[in-house]
Amino acid sequence: DTEVTQTPKHLVMGMTNKKSLKCEQHMGHRAMYWYKQKAKKPPELMFVYSYEKLSINESVPSRFSPECPNSSLLNLHLHALQPEDSALYLCASSHRALTGQKNGYTFGSGTRLTVV
Amino acid sequence: DAKTTQPNSMESNEEEPVHLPCNHSTISGTDYIHWYRQLPSQGPEYVIHGLTSNVNNRMASLAIAEDRKSSTLILHRATLRDAAVYYCILMASNYQLIWGAGTKLIIKP
């Protein structure tokens, strides 16, 4: 299995809703990432998990809450989002966080989130 | 801070070679150069990477300037399926990726 699977593919939520994005990989990668991508822009890093521990939070607002239940799963819990949070949310994984330079990243297809 | 600069868009004819340039004049000695591409409604896909020497794989070739301040991704024979946004990325010795703005490659049949 050489894929990163993200669910759901599309999500529409109201500003008072609570929802979660899910990411799964079975490549034995020990680093997982959340990225946010706005239209016609490159992805922006949000969070890095290394060996199931949060190692990097790029000053992301607390309405985004990541969780890594085990080495294969990564969740992003969403609460009280704003319309400007509408974007494509990408999950990625790599062998190890600090050696991604050699091995590269595998990205999922993303969740297209619309906040209304 | 390191940055990468790419043309906004390029056009090429099908079955012809494509050379996608990237400038990274502030690259540091340990930064790897990665290329990813993103098809519509997909996540980025790894294409190729290198440090100092030119690299070849089944998808593409990467030519790195001797001073490492620029690189060129070469698609030897473009097909319609190669139409995508191509990102030139510097990968630092930690987790950090420095993304270029991307080049939208248009392939004309």
Side-chain angles (χ1 to χ4, degrees):
Chain A
D1 187 352
T2 59
E3 289 186 345
V4 171
T5 303
Q6 290 189 244
T7 55
K9 292 197 182 303
H10 300 274
L11 178 63
V12 179
M13 62 184 290
M15 289 188 283
T16 58
N17 291 159
K18 286 185 182 181
K19 296 287 185 183
S20 296
L21 309 184
K22 181 179 173 181
C23 173
E24 193 167 1
Q25 58 89 14
H26 296 286
M27 295 176 281
H29 289 175
R30 301 313 300 270
M32 297 184 76
Y33 312 79
W34 281 114
Y35 280 84
K36 173 182 177 180
Q37 186 176 28
K38 301 286 272 185
K40 300 188 188 303
K41 297 288 188 182
E44 298 175 17
L45 182 65
M46 300 174 71
F47 302 104
V48 179
Y49 271 83
S50 178
Y51 292 89
E52 295 108 72
K53 293 192 185 326
L54 181 64
S55 60
I56 302 291
N57 176 342
E58 290 285 357
S59 302
V60 179
S62 60
R63 58 186 183 267
F64 295 92
S65 175
E67 179 197 18
C68 189
N70 60 54
S71 61
S72 299
L73 286 175
L74 186 66
N75 297 321
L76 185 63
H77 302 298
L78 314 172
H79 174 52
L81 295 193
Q82 304 295 311
E84 58 264 30
D85 295 320
S86 298
L88 180 67
Y89 287 84
L90 293 161
C91 174
S93 69
S94 65
H95 282 280
R96 284 182 291 171
L98 299 183
T99 59
Q101 65 197 108
K102 292 184 181 177
N103 297 311
Y105 291 67
T106 302
F107 284 84
S109 295
T111 294
R112 176 75 59 188
L113 174 67
T114 304
V115 181
V116 297
Chain B
D1 285 347
K3 62 179 290 187
T4 64
T5 304
Q6 304 177 248
N8 287 334
S9 66
M10 290 184 65
E11 286 190 4
S12 179
N13 294 319
E14 196 176 10
E15 299 190 2
E16 290 186 356
V18 179
H19 291 235
L20 297 168
C22 180
N23 286 321
H24 30 75
S25 58
T26 55
I27 190 172
S28 71
T30 55
D31 289 349
Y32 279 74
I33 302 160
H34 280 241
W35 284 81
Y36 281 70
R37 70 181 186 181
Q38 188 170 22
L39 280 65
S41 302
Q42 297 288 324
E45 172 191 27
Y46 170 81
V47 177
I48 199 167
H49 78 280
L51 183 62
T52 56
S53 304
N54 294 343
V55 183
N56 299 297
N57 66 22
R58 63 175 181 81
M59 289 182 72
S61 295
L62 176 60
I64 301 174
E66 199 168 329
D67 63 5
R68 299 201 339 120
K69 293 185 176 181
S70 66
S71 61
T72 302
L73 177 71
I74 302 165
L75 306 179
H76 294 287
R77 202 160 159 265
T79 70
L80 295 176
R81 289 182 295 179
D82 292 320
V85 177
Y86 286 78
Y87 290 104
C88 171
I89 303 166
L90 299 184
M91 197 168 287
S93 57
N94 55 21
Y95 69 91
Q96 192 176 20
L97 302 181
I98 310 296
W99 294 71
T103 296
K104 183 175 182 179
L105 177 62
I106 300 164
I107 305 296
K108 296 181 289 185

